[in-house]
Amino acid sequence: MYIIVDDRESVTNSYVGGLVREGVSSIGFSSGEFWDWLQSASEPDLAAVDAFLLGDCDARGSLPRAMRKRSSAPIIAMSGQKMLKNTLELFESGVDDVVHVPIHLREILARTAAIARRRVGELPRPCETRIQVFFNGRDPEIAGHALTLPRRELRILEYMVSNHGKWVTKTQIFNAVYGIFEATFDESVIESHVSKLRKKLRDRLGFDAIVARRYVGYRLDIPAGETIDVPMQELDEVGILLNRAHVAPAAYPAGN
């Protein structure tokens, strides 16, 4: 889930709408509303946040440090002023990255994934890959061929890749896909989404990549003895619009 903080309601609504179209749950706050929420949010709610997008607001200089005290999610400042002084001040306030608007939302998604990978560190690169997940809205690829997925199944796959080898609960997946403020759907929809995703992966890979266990949850399971690779690659200089994917994929090694 992405949280947009901007005192201009039209701006937050625009970003929320755009992210939803990309299949990413999000919500917009004014700086005052966000401050109140940040002080009272539970740990599970904070854990569901993929990134904070910080726009124009009176408290922009002090909010990043307050965010960091409660969450390790990437903080990306969105600036309408392409000036070195302004950019440096934003970095000094504690943000992880600064982008200049207008910017394509897929570039923001790619930058969020790059920040998260750098924090984890570079892992060994296998010689061959079978599954590639790009974290920027592109369909994943298996053996070099795209696997077209509905946006929510893609989001589930991205979330499970980010938590590779870990058990994740139905609630955690629901919060990542639908957001912690979603009241229209029930958590049970996740069972259907995962079942469909699991079958598609099995049909293409020849084995069950997703393990399910009652009362525990789900785990992305690469065959024993294999390694997972999340290569690090710096993004190009910030552009106005994204014409191609700037982020290296998370890669999985060949299975049986």
Side-chain angles (χ1 to χ4, degrees):
M1 183 183 73
Y2 278 63
I3 291 183
I4 302 97
V5 184
D6 197 300
D7 286 336
R8 299 166 297 176
E9 185 177 359
S10 60
V11 172
T12 59
N13 289 342
S14 176
Y15 276 101
V16 168
L19 286 166
V20 169
R21 286 191 292 274
E22 294 292 339
V24 179
S25 61
S26 61
I27 188 170
F29 288 111
S30 67
S31 56
E33 292 170 337
F34 175 73
W35 180 261
D36 291 340
W37 176 81
L38 185 64
Q39 303 309 305
S40 60
S42 66
E43 292 301 323
D45 285 354
L46 288 165
V49 178
D50 292 303
F52 299 99
L53 304 184
L54 188 58
D56 286 341
C57 55
D58 294 337
R60 187 156 71 171
S62 58
L63 274 177
R65 288 186 174 83
M67 294 172 178
R68 187 57 68 231
K69 288 180 179 179
R70 299 225 57 204
S71 173
S72 60
I75 304 170
I76 300 177
M78 301 181 295
S79 175
Q81 299 179 331
K82 200 169 185 179
M83 298 168 51
L84 178 60
K85 180 177 181 294
N86 181 67
T87 300
L88 293 178
E89 288 176 348
L90 287 170
F91 275 116
E92 289 171 0
S93 73
V95 302
D96 296 298
D97 198 1
V98 178
V99 298
H100 297 96
V101 295
I103 183 173
H104 199 290
L105 285 173
R106 288 194 176 183
E107 182 168 341
I108 292 179
L109 298 180
R111 288 178 175 274
T112 300
I115 293 169
R117 287 199 308 276
R118 286 196 293 270
R119 289 179 177 172
V120 172
E122 188 170 13
L123 299 175
R125 180 189 296 274
C127 297
E128 298 179 31
T129 62
R130 285 282 299 277
I131 306 176
Q132 291 183 308
V133 180
F134 299 92
F135 296 95
N136 63 1
R138 285 179 59 185
D139 285 323
E141 294 181 0
I142 297 180
H145 298 284
L147 173 64
T148 302
L149 294 175
R151 63 184 187 181
R152 287 182 175 131
E153 289 178 28
L154 174 59
R155 179 63 183 129
I156 290 172
L157 179 59
E158 291 174 342
Y159 182 75
M160 298 193 77
V161 166
S162 299
N163 292 276
H164 175 260
K166 301 177 182 177
W167 288 102
V168 290
T169 66
K170 183 166 60 178
T171 298
Q172 287 175 307
I173 298 175
F174 181 86
N175 289 344
V177 176
Y178 288 91
I180 58 178
F181 300 99
E182 176 58 55
T184 305
F185 297 93
D186 185 82
E187 287 184 6
S188 60
V189 299
I190 295 301
E191 297 174 8
S192 175
H193 290 320
V194 173
S195 177
K196 293 175 183 177
L197 173 61
R198 188 182 186 187
K199 182 180 185 302
K200 291 171 184 176
L201 292 176
R202 183 173 61 246
D203 289 344
R204 294 286 290 271
L205 292 169
F207 63 89
D208 266 326
I210 298 176
V211 178
R213 182 174 296 174
R214 183 175 293 183
Y215 307 125
V216 177
Y218 304 95
R219 184 182 70 195
L220 190 65
D221 186 31
I222 301 303
E226 303 285 2
T227 59
I228 181 172
D229 175 43
V230 186
M232 290 170 54
Q233 177 177 334
E234 292 297 328
L235 295 171
D236 295 338
E237 184 178 357
V238 178
I240 292 179
L241 290 176
L242 183 67
N243 294 317
R244 62 182 178 83
H246 290 288
V247 62
Y252 286 80
N256 296 325

